[in-house]
């Protein structure tokens, strides 16, 4: 792991360097926060060295745990005055290193701002602090027959503040949208500690849509301290259909056919055989392990509506070569169908020392072609890859299996991942559907955007944060970085000096 | 349109922007001209006009991807006709106040029709844009896929920016299958009862699509799976409205047609955007609302202050017509300063004017 830590350090060194007097910074933070809310000792800082992407690590100068908006403002003002980078953090479940600390900076944990401030069942809104867990919102509003729709797989742990930073999705977003479609308003503070509010509980909002810019901005534009979410009425019933196919291409075509038939499933997921087998060994969901691909297709609504939609989906899937179709007979069976899909990541962790989860999005029509390309890459890189997809919206989560203790494996896994992402762009898609760019995909931003587009992103960042102290160095690569990356890239995914660290 | 033609038009527009900047002339972007009755859309005589109508055509339509990419000057009618062939639609019912509405105008205005209640707004549907900005840069943001978090969400920033940041060269929109069934029900109700009832229904799993309250009548459109629409009709009750009459009504609401949108001389039309559950009072000479009560229209005497009234209800207001010193509620200073700097990103020379955002 030492090499990895060095890599993260080197990442920060290629970015702007901040001159910070650590002792003075800590003293200033302790002057505005109680001592138990400022962590400085190395053993206290260790749990904050990385987020869910643990291969990228760095130790911050301090971690602060404010418990009120006032304390957040106090921290921001200290850091602003001293020119210290601030990295906001929720639960740390992010998968792109967006919350990786800055070595000359402060990690601003919003985890203790974890209160649900108001629930308005009539207006169908909830006003919550950023540290509230995603699932806790749905649990709190369940007595009113309501729920919060975006459900990232980490929803038991991830915070709504983190969801806002990443514009998180989940398995139901084809029908119910992403975070940007389900957050009505945010309140927060600029890097200098000035209060701001974007969006509105009223329809639309006057002026430019700064709420849309803020959502998915990876904590680089403002620190959000209060979020008003839209709640939806819980569907009366949901049913899930499990369909098996004898090729990934046939499954991909069936997905397109479902959409072409005018059906918008509540969830539409795909797993390849490798993923199915890994999951079945782990969870015993009853998946057919001899199928090359599985589709999970969910309908929700009223009883009659669901019966109508399931029948239509079944007909389409049968016509497109499904070798076996099961419809969940009750809620327990539906949850069992989903349990396997939701356990895909831990199942990968069980059969491999490490795994690297990718997040490209491609047009649905290219799913079959992409899976075949990944299969070819598996043999070229000498690594296995399990494939799970949010097939309904073309969002891929290939899980590349590797062992960090075997020299060279992580480098190969990373190159494998890069090739998948760059292929996603070439197929008309994007390098990240829902995990964010963070530090992980910063080089691939050079492939997806022109220098002028990246310049515009930097200008937007400066419009909110002129001093550039909020989560610096993430998400948007500098011209210099892209120039270096351009020199290093060669066709075919093979790198000229695979043994050298690359930044 | 060949690549050469496209390049020629873009170069021509870039030249025009350059010259306008040198001569300190304003630039205005004009599509179909269907919104020129809105006061902030008036084109000053001295302005250099970028007319997008020659910049038209569907670049890509992939029914199974649920996405269409269209050049800014393409007529809305043309796009909707194309989608209808595959039984798809733009579910946010973009208004066409007059003939000629273009897709660029739909996105730049950010206005959505009555079905926004059940199907979302134009902002919800935008996936990507290609922009010619005031610095003469051609920039692409977002894309054609449903999920995309690479870079800031500039595509949505452009929704409702009223042409103040640049020319929308093309936009990618999420399209939806047309739900199989629809029905409209009518109820005799006061505004207060109607809003209360609508908010109650909206908290239940019903296929609500659109709602209007005007002159003592509530109209509700249900739109969804056949079974769902039938069940919901029984559940909410009211009187069934014949299909022709219902279609005419919702078009009327979508396009702000008279008599409902008629404003007598000497009075002013306001669009109030307030929390849908804010107390309802029938203010002004005439009053009606859309959705569950969030969009309220008021015809008021000229001295009535809609900005103050909306602020009191926790919302904001839009003065929809006439000469005024301001058309849209002001934002707090910190936010206004960020907005100004965001404008600097795309139009530092303020070529494109203030739209509805500034002082009139």
């Amino acid at each position: 792991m030492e090499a990895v830590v060095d890599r993260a350090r080197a990442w920060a060194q290629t970015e702007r360097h901040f001159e910070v007097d650590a002792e003075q910074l800590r003293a200033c933070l302790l002057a505005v926060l109680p001592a138990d809310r400022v962590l400085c000792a190395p053993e206290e800082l260790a749990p904050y060295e990385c987020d869910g992407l643990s291969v990228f690590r760095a130790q911050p100068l301090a971690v602060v745990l404010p418990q009120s908006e006032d304390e957040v403002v106090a921290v921001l003002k200290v850091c602003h005055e001293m020119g210290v980078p601030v990295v906001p953090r929720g639960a740390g479940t992010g998968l792109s290193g967006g919350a990786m600390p800055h070595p000359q900076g402060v990690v601003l944990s919003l985890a203790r701002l974890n209160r649900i401030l108001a629930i308005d069942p009539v207006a169908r809104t909830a006003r919550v602090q950023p540290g509230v867990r995603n699932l806790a919102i749905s649990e709190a509003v369940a007595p009113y027959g309501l729920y919060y729709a975006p459900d990232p797989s980490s929803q038991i742990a991830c915070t709504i503040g983190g969801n806002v930073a990443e514009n998180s999705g989940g398995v139901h977003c084809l029908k119910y949208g992403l975070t940007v479609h389900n957050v009505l308003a945010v309140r927060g503070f600029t890097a200098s500690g000035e209060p701001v509010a974007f969006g509105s509980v009223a329809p639309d909002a006057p002026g430019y849509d700064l709420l849309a810019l803020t959502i998915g901005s990876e904590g680089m534009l403002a620190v959000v301290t209060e979020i008003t979410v839209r709640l939806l009425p819980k569907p009366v019933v949901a049913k899930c259909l499990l369909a098996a196919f004898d090729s990934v291409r046939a499954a991909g075509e069936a997905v397109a056919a479902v959409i072409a038939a005018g059906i918008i499933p509540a969830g539409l997921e795909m797993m390849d055989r490798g993923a199915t087998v890994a999951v079945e060994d782990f969870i015993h969901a009853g998946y057919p392990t001899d199928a090359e691909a599985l589709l999970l297709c969910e309908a929700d609504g009223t009883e009659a509506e669901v019966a109508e939609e399931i029948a239509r989906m079944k007909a389409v899937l049968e016509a497109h070569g499904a070798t076996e179709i099961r419809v969940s007979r009750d809620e327990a069976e539906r949850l069992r169908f989903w349990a396997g899909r939701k356990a895909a990541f831990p199942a990968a962790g069980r059969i491999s020392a490490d795994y690297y989860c990718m997040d490209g999005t491609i047009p649905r029509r290219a799913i079959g072609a992409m899976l075949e390309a990944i299969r070819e890459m598996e043999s070229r890189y000498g690594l296995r890859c399990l494939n799970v997809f949010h097939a309904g919206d073309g969002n891929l989560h290939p899980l590349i299996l590797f062992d960090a203790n075997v020299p060279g494996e992580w480098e190969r896994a990373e190159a494998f991942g890069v090739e998948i992402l760059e292929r996603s762009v070439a197929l008309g898609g994007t390098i990240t559907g829902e995990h964010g760019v963070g530090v992980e995909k910063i080089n691939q931003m050079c492939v997806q955007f022109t220098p002028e587009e990246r310049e515009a992103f930097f200008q937007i960042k400066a419009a909110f944060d002129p001093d550039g102290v909020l989560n610096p160095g993430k998400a948007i690569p500098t011209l210099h970085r892209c120039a270096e990356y351009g020199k290093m890239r060669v066709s075919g995914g093979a790198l000229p000096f695979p043994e050298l660290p690359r930044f | 349109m060949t690549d050469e033609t496209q390049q020629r038009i873009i170069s021509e527009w870039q030249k025009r922007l350059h010259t306008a900047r040198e001569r300190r002339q304003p630039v205005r972007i004009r599509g179909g001209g269907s919104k020129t009755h809105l006061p902030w859309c008036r084109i000053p005589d001295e302005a250099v006009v970028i007319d997008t109508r020659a910049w038209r055509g569907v670049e890509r339509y992939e029914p199974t991807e649920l996405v269409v990419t269209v050049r800014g000057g393409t007529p809305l009618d043309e796009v909707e006709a194309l989608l209808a062939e595959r039984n798809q639609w733009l579910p946010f019912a973009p208004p066409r106040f007059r003939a000629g509405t273009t897709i660029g105008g739909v996105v730049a205005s950010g206005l959505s029709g009555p079905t926004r209640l059940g199907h979302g707004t134009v902002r919800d549907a935008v996936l990507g844009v290609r922009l010619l900005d005031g610095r003469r840069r051609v920039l692409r943001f977002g894309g054609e896929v449903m999920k995309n978090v690479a870079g800031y969400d500039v595509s949505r920033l452009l929704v409702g920016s009223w042409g103040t940041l640049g020319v929308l060269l093309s936009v990618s929109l999420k399209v939806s299958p047309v739900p199989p069934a629809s029905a409209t029900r009518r109820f005799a109700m006061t505004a207060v009862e109607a809003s209360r009832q609508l908010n109650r229904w909206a908290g239940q799993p019903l296929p609500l699509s659109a709602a209007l309250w005007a002159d003592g009548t509530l109209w509700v459109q249900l739109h969804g799976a056949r079974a769902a629409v039938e069940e919901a009709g029984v559940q909410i009750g009211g009187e069934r409205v014949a299909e022709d009459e219902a279609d005419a009504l919702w078009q009327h609401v979508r396009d702000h047609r008279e008599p409902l949108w008629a404003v007598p001389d000497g009075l002013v039309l306001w669009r109030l955007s307030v929390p849908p559950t804010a107390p309802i009072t029938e203010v002004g000479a005439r009053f009606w609302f859309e959705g569950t009560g969030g969009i309220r229209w008021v015809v008021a005497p000229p001295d009535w202050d809609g900005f103050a009234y909306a602020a009191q209800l926790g919302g904001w207001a839009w003065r929809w017509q006439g000469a005024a010193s301001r058309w849209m509620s002001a934002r707090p200073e910190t936010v206004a300063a960020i907005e100004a700097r965001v404008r600097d990103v795309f139009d530092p020379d303020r070529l494109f004017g203030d739209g509805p955002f500034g002082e009139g």
Side-chain angles (χ1 to χ4, degrees):
Chain A
M1 247 358 170
E2 251 335 282
V4 169
V5 176
D6 286 344
R7 292 162 54 86
R9 205 167 288 143
W11 160 80
Q13 280 162 4
T14 65
E15 302 295 328
R16 185 175 141 206
H17 185 76
F18 292 80
E19 283 300 334
V20 180
D21 180 333
E23 283 317 307
Q24 195 196 343
L25 170 68
R26 287 165 184 163
C28 289
L29 291 172
L30 284 165
V32 295
L33 289 187
D36 65 330
R37 293 169 209 173
V38 182
L39 312 180
C40 302
E43 66 277 12
E44 293 176 319
L45 298 176
Y48 295 90
E49 277 179 358
C50 64
D51 59 15
L53 183 65
S54 59
V55 290
F56 288 99
R57 288 167 184 269
Q59 198 162 87
L61 297 180
V63 173
V64 292
L65 301 154
Q67 297 195 354
S68 68
E69 276 191 349
D70 288 347
E71 291 182 354
V72 171
V73 175
V75 169
L76 287 171
K77 290 201 162 149
V78 164
C79 292
H80 183 247
E81 246 157 59
M82 299 182 66
V84 177
V86 175
V87 178
R89 178 185 168 105
T93 57
L95 292 170
S96 60
M100 188 186 87
H102 195 287
Q104 294 112 35
V106 169
V107 169
L108 171 58
S109 167
L110 296 151
R112 288 192 187 173
L113 287 169
N114 59 359
R115 281 181 306 135
I116 295 179
L117 301 170
I119 295 169
D120 185 338
V122 182
R124 305 165 313 282
T125 59
R127 201 154 50 80
V128 304
Q129 291 188 317
V132 172
R133 289 175 305 111
N134 171 296
L135 188 61
I137 302 177
S138 289
E139 286 169 354
V141 302
Y144 308 102
L146 302 169
Y147 76 113
Y148 175 66
D151 57 343
S153 59
S154 56
Q155 72 175 150
I156 54 166
C158 67
T159 64
I160 187 71
N163 293 174
V164 168
E166 302 295 334
N167 190 16
S168 308
V171 297
H172 292 99
C173 44
L174 180 63
K175 187 167 177 183
Y176 296 106
L178 309 158
T179 304
V180 72
H181 301 104
N182 290 280
V183 163
L184 298 170
V186 300
R187 241 167 72 88
F189 298 88
T190 64
S192 57
E194 295 290 321
V196 284
F198 307 133
S200 170
V201 184
D204 318 315
Y208 293 132
D209 195 342
L210 302 184
L211 178 64
L213 281 185
T214 307
I215 294 176
S217 67
E218 307 196 13
M220 294 174 69
L221 302 184
V223 174
V224 169
T225 54
E226 203 175 291
I227 298 135
T228 305
V229 300
R230 191 165 69 117
L231 304 171
L232 298 180
K234 257 206 282 201
V236 180
V237 63
K239 276 194 174 182
C240 187
L241 186 155
L242 185 152
F245 290 84
D246 56 16
S247 79
V248 287
R249 200 169 270 274
E253 280 160 13
V255 166
V258 167
I259 306 289
I263 303 167
I264 303 288
L268 183 51
E269 297 287 312
M270 183 166 161
M271 299 166 74
D272 72 356
R273 189 172 177 184
T276 308
V277 170
V279 153
E280 189 53 36
D281 284 347
F282 177 36
I283 284 280
H284 312 297
Y287 289 166
T289 48
D290 54 344
E292 283 303 316
L294 282 192
L295 285 185
L296 288 175
C297 213
E298 182 151 286
D300 65 11
T302 63
E303 291 278 1
E305 202 176 353
V306 169
E308 187 179 314
E309 198 169 292
I310 288 280
R312 288 173 69 200
M313 292 194 296
K314 198 160 175 247
V316 173
L317 295 173
E318 272 166 359
H320 282 82
T323 52
E324 183 187 344
I325 293 183
R326 296 183 212 159
V327 180
S328 63
R329 281 160 298 187
D330 51 33
E331 188 61 8
E333 189 168 33
R334 184 182 79 89
L335 294 177
R336 201 156 55 243
F337 283 1
W338 278 111
R341 166 62 185 88
K342 290 195 172 179
F345 290 22
R350 202 167 149 266
I351 60 166
S352 174
D354 299 280
Y355 66 90
Y356 185 34
C357 173
M358 304 315 294
D359 174 45
T361 302
I362 55 172
R364 287 178 209 92
R365 63 174 179 277
I367 287 178
M370 180 58 125
L371 277 173
E372 283 171 8
I374 289 176
R375 200 150 289 174
E376 182 274 324
M377 291 178 216
E378 281 186 288
S379 60
R380 190 147 40 82
Y381 288 100
L383 294 174
R384 279 190 68 203
C385 180
L386 310 182
N387 289 291
V388 293
F389 285 119
H390 301 304
D393 40 38
N395 187 197
L396 327 166
H397 290 319
L399 303 169
I400 302 167
L401 309 183
F402 71 101
D403 183 344
N405 291 323
V406 176
E409 280 217 353
W410 157 244
E411 284 74 12
R412 288 213 308 277
E414 199 187 17
F416 191 159
V418 164
E419 191 171 345
I420 293 174
L421 296 184
E422 295 185 1
R423 182 71 66 104
S424 299
V425 176
L427 288 168
T430 176
I431 57 170
T432 174
E434 57 183 357
H435 294 172
V437 174
V439 288
E440 179 201 22
K441 293 178 275 280
I442 194 139
N443 287 335
Q444 285 68 55
M445 286 291 282
C446 310
V447 180
Q448 189 162 335
F449 294 98
T450 65
E452 286 185 325
E453 288 154 1
R454 283 180 269 116
E455 177 192 41
F457 287 144
F458 273 118
Q459 291 166 336
I460 289 169
K461 159 86 171 147
F464 285 76
D465 173 21
D467 301 320
V469 295
L470 273 184
N471 213 2
K474 309 286 176 63
I476 319 292
T478 57
L479 295 177
H480 175 71
R481 172 183 284 276
C482 287
E484 289 296 308
Y485 184 60
K487 276 186 233 157
M488 213 172 52
R489 284 178 71 226
V490 293
S491 58
L495 290 160
F497 303 104
E499 72 283 8
L500 293 180
R502 301 177 294 105
F503 302 101
Chain B
M1 219 187 279
T2 63
D3 287 356
E4 260 169 43
T5 315
Q6 289 192 43
Q7 199 43 56
R8 186 177 50 73
I9 295 178
I10 290 178
S11 303
E12 160 64 24
W13 287 349
Q14 284 169 325
K15 246 180 256 160
R16 231 178 277 183
L17 289 170
H18 180 70
T19 317
R21 181 174 177 266
E22 303 260 286
R23 298 187 187 154
R24 299 178 178 280
Q25 267 179 299
V27 178
R28 292 295 180 271
I29 305 156
R30 185 197 193 281
S34 68
K35 297 180 185 76
T36 45
H37 62 295
L38 299 171
W40 53 89
C41 291
R42 203 186 60 83
I43 296 180
D45 295 338
E46 70 278 19
V48 174
V49 174
I50 290 183
D51 189 326
T52 64
R53 281 173 296 181
W55 183 262
R56 61 188 284 173
V58 173
E59 290 184 349
R60 234 176 336 279
Y61 174 39
E62 300 270 1
T64 65
E65 303 291 331
L66 298 176
V67 62
V68 66
T69 297
V70 188
R71 293 198 189 98
T74 315
L76 172 60
D77 291 341
E78 200 177 302
V79 178
E80 294 201 323
L82 177 71
L83 300 182
E85 284 172 23
R86 305 302 290 264
N87 202 31
Q88 294 185 338
W89 67 328
L90 300 174
F92 49 89
R96 57 215 78 198
F97 302 129
R98 297 176 197 173
T101 302
T102 62
I103 282 290
V106 165
V107 173
S109 72
L111 297 173
S112 302
T115 53
R116 63 177 287 164
L117 174 63
H119 305 278
T121 62
V122 54
R123 173 202 196 250
D124 294 329
V126 167
L127 299 174
V129 298
R130 188 150 64 107
L131 175 79
L132 169 63
D133 79 352
R135 297 180 191 245
R136 306 190 297 282
R137 301 179 292 196
V138 175
L139 308 168
R140 229 181 245 279
F141 299 103
E144 294 189 330
V145 288
M146 302 293 142
K147 276 163 125 178
N148 187 352
V149 292
Y152 304 126
D153 193 349
V154 180
S155 312
R156 286 197 173 82
L157 172 73
L158 292 165
V159 177
S161 63
W162 292 95
T164 60
L165 302 178
V167 186
L168 285 166
L169 295 176
S170 66
V171 293
S172 297
L173 295 168
K174 182 183 175 190
V175 301
S176 304
V178 180
S182 81
T184 295
R185 322 282 305 188
R186 172 169 54 202
F187 308 77
M189 265 186 204
T190 65
V192 173
E193 284 168 353
S195 174
R196 192 176 299 154
Q197 185 60 266
L198 284 164
N199 279 303
R200 204 174 297 145
W201 285 331
Q204 296 164 22
L206 294 168
L208 288 187
S209 169
L212 168 77
W213 180 89
D215 303 320
T217 305
L218 167 65
W219 311 76
V220 177
Q221 188 189 47
L222 304 167
H223 207 168
R226 216 163 290 286
V229 169
E230 274 167 31
E231 286 173 347
V234 173
Q235 188 185 333
I236 70 172
E239 177 194 351
R240 192 177 178 116
V241 180
E243 211 170 305
D244 291 357
E245 193 191 340
D247 288 350
L249 171 85
W250 297 117
Q251 267 188 36
H252 183 115
V253 178
R254 183 194 69 190
D255 300 339
H256 296 182
R257 284 194 210 145
E258 299 187 359
L260 191 54
W261 260 264
V263 183
D265 283 347
L267 297 179
V268 176
L269 179 63
W270 288 83
R271 179 192 188 268
L272 309 182
S273 200
V274 299
T277 51
I280 289 212
T281 316
E282 293 182 48
V283 288
R286 280 183 52 237
F287 172 96
W288 65 100
F289 74 76
E290 291 181 62
T292 65
I295 297 174
R296 303 179 188 182
W297 294 90
V298 176
V299 177
D303 58 345
W304 189 69
D305 186 350
F307 299 126
Y309 181 76
Q312 199 189 312
L313 295 180
W316 61 283
W318 214 334
R319 190 183 158 115
W320 203 254
Q321 53 167 212
S325 61
R326 167 170 286 288
W327 289 298
M328 191 182 258
S329 292
R331 274 78 70 204
E333 224 167 275
T334 342
V335 173
I338 297 173
E339 282 190 33
R341 290 197 295 266
V342 166
R343 236 174 125 187
D344 290 340
V345 174
F346 299 100
D347 183 23
D349 302 305
R350 300 291 187 266
L351 295 172
F352 298 117
D354 294 336
F357 307 122
E359 308 290 324

